[in-house]
Amino acid sequence: MQKGILQALSAHASYLTFHAKASADATAIREALAALTKLVDGEQIVLGIGANLADKLGATINGLRNFDGIDGSRVRLPSTPADLWCWLRAPERGALVHHARHIQTALQDAFELQHQLDAFKYDTGRDLTGYEDGTENPHDDAAFTAAIVQEQGAGLDGSSMVAVQQWLHQFEKFDAMPGEDQDKAIGRRKSDNEELEDAPESAHVKRTAQEDFAPEAFSLRRSMPWTEQGKAGLNFVSFGNSFYAFEAQLRRMSGAEDGIVDALFKFSHPVSGNYFWCPAMRDGRVDLSLLDK
C-alpha cells in the first residue's frame, strides 16, 4: 500500500490535480506516468488515478468511477473529475514546493495542472471551526481493513479508493451561531470533544455515525484545513476499500435518505467532488500495471 494513507497527518500538505492535455495520446500519457512513478514513494507523495484517465488508456479498474453526486440530495454536491491526484505530505512547506515542482516537470508533456490546494494541520488535528476532526477514525488493523482493498487480486490488493471534497466554510454564519448551537450542529462539545447525548438528528455526528449503517460504513479520514486568497475550509479526504462508506454517509448528510440535512450545510458546503484509485506499491514503485490492461 502507499504508506502515507495510514500514517499520521503531516504538519503541511499540498493537493495537486491534473488533466491530460487534449493533444496527449496514450503513448505520451504513459511516458509521463513512467516519469511520475520515479517520484511517488507512497509516503511523501501519494498518487491517485481518476476514472477518466483509466478510460483514456483503455483500462478498467474494478470499483473506480467518477463522483456524480447523490440521487435525491437536498443540497448541491459538485462533481469535478480530474485525471490525476497527488497528495504531498511534509513537516515543512519548503519540501512541498520542491515536490510540486518536480511533479509538474515530470508530467509537463502530457498533463496540465488543474488545481493546487495547500493545507496544514491545525492544533492537534482540528477543523478551523475549532472542532476535532476524525474523532471516530478506525485505528491499527481496523484502519487497514477500512481503507485498503484486500482479496481482489493482483494490482488491486493493497490499493485504496479515495473520495476528496474541498469544503468552503462561511465563517460569518458560523461565528453568528451561539456556542451551544455550534455544539449541536456538530454533535460534540468543542471544549472537551464529548458527544452530546441530546444532539438533534441533524447533528453531524448523528448523520455520519459509521456503526449505524447497514453494513457499517467505516472509512479512514485524512482531512486537513486549507486557506487560499482569503477563503478557508476543510479539504475532506476519505480513504476506503470502496466508495460505499463515503456514499452512505453523504447520502444521509445530504438529506437523500430521510430528508434531514446535516447541520454542517448551515455554514459550509463542498466546492469540489472527486474519486480516485490509489494503487499499491510494488518493489518500491507505485504499481500501475492495471493501466496496461
Side-chain angles (χ1 to χ4, degrees):
M1 63 186 176
Q2 297 190 59
K3 293 182 180 179
I5 294 171
L6 296 181
Q7 291 175 348
L9 288 175
S10 57
H12 296 275
S14 285
Y15 305 90
L16 311 179
T17 53
F18 294 87
H19 281 316
K21 293 181 178 179
S23 59
D25 59 16
T27 297
I29 290 173
R30 292 185 192 281
E31 289 176 350
L33 290 177
L36 180 61
T37 60
K38 297 177 182 178
L39 302 174
V40 175
D41 63 356
E43 294 188 68
Q44 296 181 78
I45 302 174
V46 174
L47 174 65
I49 304 293
N52 289 349
L53 182 62
D55 288 343
K56 290 170 186 174
L57 296 177
T60 300
I61 309 299
N62 187 33
L64 176 64
R65 61 186 186 279
N66 284 322
F67 173 71
D68 291 323
I70 297 292
D71 288 342
S73 173
R74 305 265 179 120
V75 292
R76 182 173 179 269
L77 301 171
S79 172
T80 55
D83 289 332
L84 286 177
W85 176 73
C86 294
W87 174 26
L88 315 185
R89 311 170 66 254
E92 54 88 24
R93 294 189 63 176
L96 299 178
V97 173
H98 293 300
H99 288 325
R101 183 169 57 85
H102 294 151
I103 288 171
Q104 291 182 70
T105 297
L107 295 174
Q108 63 184 350
D109 290 340
F111 292 88
E112 54 191 1
L113 182 66
Q114 176 187 11
H115 188 223
Q116 178 172 351
L117 184 68
D118 294 327
F120 53 92
K121 185 176 181 180
Y122 174 44
D123 196 45
T124 57
R126 297 177 185 269
D127 175 62
L128 289 172
T129 57
Y131 290 90
E132 289 191 22
D133 183 68
T135 300
E136 299 297 327
N137 259 342
H139 299 282
D140 303 323
D141 290 346
F144 184 92
T145 298
I148 306 300
V149 176
Q150 301 178 67
E151 299 181 357
Q152 296 297 311
L156 276 178
D157 287 353
S159 67
S160 183
M161 301 295 178
V162 63
V164 183
Q165 287 181 313
Q166 182 184 355
W167 283 70
L168 173 65
H169 292 349
Q170 296 165 289
F171 287 103
E172 67 282 1
K173 293 184 178 180
F174 180 77
D175 292 342
M177 298 169 64
E180 182 178 349
D181 289 348
Q182 293 177 358
D183 286 350
K184 287 181 178 180
I186 302 300
R188 292 183 182 275
R189 287 194 298 267
K190 187 187 301 186
S191 60
D192 59 10
N193 201 39
E194 286 297 314
E195 190 167 336
L196 302 179
E197 293 184 1
D198 60 346
E201 287 303 313
S202 61
H204 181 59
V205 165
K206 285 198 172 183
R207 295 284 88 192
T208 59
Q210 299 172 102
E211 68 279 0
D212 286 351
F213 295 87
E216 294 180 335
F218 284 94
S219 64
L220 185 64
R221 292 173 56 163
R222 287 291 183 255
S223 310
M224 297 183 76
W226 63 270
T227 182
E228 183 179 68
Q229 296 181 341
K231 299 179 180 180
L234 185 75
N235 200 44
F236 180 83
V237 178
S238 174
F239 289 95
N241 54 40
S242 72
F243 296 120
Y244 160 73
F246 171 76
E247 290 188 344
Q249 293 185 40
L250 189 59
R251 185 173 296 109
R252 187 173 291 176
M253 288 176 62
S254 67
E257 182 179 283
D258 57 9
I260 301 174
V261 174
D262 194 310
L264 281 184
F265 286 95
K266 292 181 179 180
F267 57 85
S268 189
H269 63 276
V271 295
S272 71
N274 293 293
Y275 282 163
F276 300 99
W277 169 62
C278 298
M281 302 292 290
R282 183 176 64 180
D283 299 328
R285 293 279 183 90
V286 64
D287 182 8
L288 299 181
S289 59
L290 290 184
L291 296 182
D292 295 328
K293 297 179 180 181

